[in-house]
Amino acid sequence: MKYKKPIFITIEGCEGCGKTTQSELLKKYLESKGLTVVLTREPGGSIVAEQVRNILLNPKFNVAPYCELMLYEASRAQHLEDIIKPNLQKGCVVICDRFTDSTLAYQGFARGIDKKIIEKLNNIATSGLKPDLTIYLDINPNKGIKKAKTVNKGKLTGGDRIERESLKFHNNVRKGFLELAKKYPNRIKKVKTSEVIEKTQKEINKEIDKFFKKKKIYV
Ligand code: TMP
């Protein structure tokens, strides 16, 4: 029997951490428990927001830091109205591949924009909506960035505009996520990624089961 619970889960991590694969596996796992699940992503996730994503990730564009920040927030504000809010209102579990923690990690910790400004803008774009649970997939950027750029029969590509940033930038992103995980231990659960997809999946499901049992959603 299908049943409904409005739960908002976000998946975060550095480049190449396997978020997208793990988000899809998590959707299937929760569906197997009888829940109605919507999987979406940021930046993007809806028609207008995906257009903003195309600007943000195009390596041909030079985007000024505040323009970058506001485009991520613009995409989020649209995505929230189009996908996140209506599906939570319908009682679905919404899984979002990246959300506000990415803005703090990338535009705050790595790009150097004042985190208080980002928190304010995050709050405006989301109308204060916070994830119920965040899974942070930890990977060393040294490994992750190579993985992220390796597509097309194992060939190394240039990557998108953000993937092309320096290793120092990506190390600062990771530091940001680790700091956020320390600051919000109840919400953000750190999972160490493994080369073996099933191993990472098992660790994620452990955190998911703990959370859902605590909420008395399934036992
Ligand atoms: P993705 O390729 O993991 O879907 O994410 C797109 C890129 O956007 C990734 O490099 C992380 C970056 N990003 C930010 O810099 N700030 C944000 O707020 C979000 C959501 C993503």
Side-chain angles (χ1 to χ4, degrees):
M1 192 192 78
K2 282 244 171 205
Y3 63 100
K4 299 199 167 181
K5 282 281 168 196
I7 300 283
F8 184 35
I9 300 172
T10 59
I11 315 281
E12 298 277 11
C14 294
E15 315 297 327
C17 68
K19 280 178 300 89
T20 308
T21 306
Q22 292 298 339
S23 301
E24 282 158 9
L25 290 169
L26 179 58
K27 178 177 190 277
K28 285 191 188 134
Y29 181 67
L30 290 175
E31 282 172 346
S32 78
K33 300 278 182 189
L35 290 154
T36 308
V37 185
V38 171
L39 173 59
T40 187
R41 69 170 180 184
E42 287 202 356
S46 76
I47 294 168
V48 172
E50 285 288 329
Q51 297 291 323
V52 181
R53 178 186 175 97
N54 291 338
I55 299 172
L56 275 165
L57 299 186
N58 190 332
K60 288 190 192 139
F61 296 157
N62 242 324
V63 185
Y66 278 106
C67 176
E68 180 182 89
L69 168 63
M70 290 184 211
L71 286 177
Y72 277 111
E73 298 292 0
S75 161
R76 176 164 301 135
Q78 186 70 40
H79 180 223
L80 198 90
E81 291 304 320
D82 291 344
I83 305 290
I84 300 179
K85 264 207 309 210
N87 281 296
L88 287 174
Q89 275 157 10
K90 276 191 231 159
C92 300
V93 175
V94 175
I95 302 173
C96 192
D97 180 339
R98 295 199 186 279
F99 196 57
T100 45
D101 294 313
S102 274
T103 323
L104 280 164
Y106 282 81
Q107 280 66 50
F109 285 87
R111 198 68 88 203
I113 296 177
D114 185 340
K115 294 179 215 46
K116 288 218 165 70
I117 294 175
I118 299 178
E119 274 165 359
K120 264 193 197 148
L121 290 176
N122 275 346
N123 227 13
I124 292 169
T126 60
S127 316
L129 178 76
K130 304 266 185 302
D132 296 297
L133 174 71
T134 298
I135 302 288
Y136 162 59
L137 298 179
D138 190 46
I139 191 169
N140 184 330
N142 234 331
K143 266 197 215 163
I145 202 72
K146 272 199 201 118
K147 235 172 98 189
K149 289 182 181 180
T150 308
V151 288
N152 293 337
K153 296 175 192 149
K155 272 196 195 138
L156 212 61
T157 68
D160 66 32
R161 196 179 59 82
I162 304 282
E163 285 164 353
R164 284 168 194 233
E165 289 289 344
S166 65
L167 187 59
K168 186 172 169 226
F169 178 94
H170 291 289
N171 278 325
N172 284 334
V173 171
R174 185 192 193 194
K175 270 189 209 154
F177 279 128
L178 289 171
E179 217 167 282
L180 289 167
K182 256 197 200 150
K183 192 170 171 190
Y184 304 107
N186 289 334
R187 173 176 66 85
I188 306 181
K189 303 297 172 190
K190 178 181 144 194
V191 169
K192 203 172 169 325
T193 55
S194 154
E195 300 279 328
V196 186
I197 290 175
E198 293 75 18
K199 218 170 143 187
T200 310
Q201 185 193 7
K202 213 170 139 189
E203 291 305 309
I204 294 174
N205 289 352
K206 261 194 219 162
E207 293 296 343
I208 291 288
D209 287 347
K210 261 195 252 167
F211 171 83
F212 275 78
K213 275 178 192 161
K214 211 162 85 187
K215 292 255 163 200
K216 298 194 168 53
I217 293 176
Y218 63 71
V219 285

